[in-house]
Amino acid sequence: NAFENYAYALRNSLNNTDAANAIDAADKEALSSAIADAMQWLDANGSAEIEEVEAQHKQLEAVGKPIMTKLHQAGAQADSEGGTSGNTRASEPHIEEVD
């Protein structure tokens, strides 16, 4: 179920320390509340019609997408300012070949 997968993916992102630190408190609370509501709805409506599930999915996306977009933009900005997420090769040791 795409809705359930999306809700769990958002929850996992929120539980990720780096992501959680990058999200401001108001967004974190809004997202956490929306995820909890979605999970509760899923538990209570296991036999819901597909249209109802899609409506709930869109409702969660309406909260989640803007927050996750801000998070990804902040990560991209950190990368362009010398952050290490993405390319960690610079911190790896250099091995020289010896004949």
Side-chain angles (χ1 to χ4, degrees):
N1 171 331
F3 175 41
E4 186 174 21
N5 290 339
Y6 183 68
Y8 279 109
L10 285 177
R11 187 185 70 183
N12 290 340
S13 293
L14 194 59
N15 290 336
N16 177 321
T17 306
D18 292 337
N21 291 337
I23 300 172
D24 67 52
D27 284 346
K28 192 181 299 184
E29 179 58 33
L31 186 55
S32 181
S33 178
I35 293 167
D37 290 347
M39 297 289 196
Q40 187 175 20
W41 187 90
L42 280 166
D43 289 341
N45 297 285
S47 60
E49 297 292 324
I50 191 142
E51 293 81 14
E52 294 173 296
V53 174
E54 288 173 350
Q56 291 294 319
H57 189 165
K58 286 181 183 179
Q59 203 171 23
L60 181 58
E61 282 182 334
V63 175
K65 275 190 175 183
I67 294 169
M68 297 310 291
T69 299
K70 280 196 264 184
L71 176 65
H72 291 298
Q73 288 173 342
Q77 184 176 2
D79 285 348
S80 69
E81 292 174 358
T84 59
S85 64
N87 184 6
T88 57
R89 288 182 117 10
S91 63
E92 293 177 1
H94 178 70
I95 300 173
E96 294 183 31
E97 290 186 31
V98 177
D99 289 327

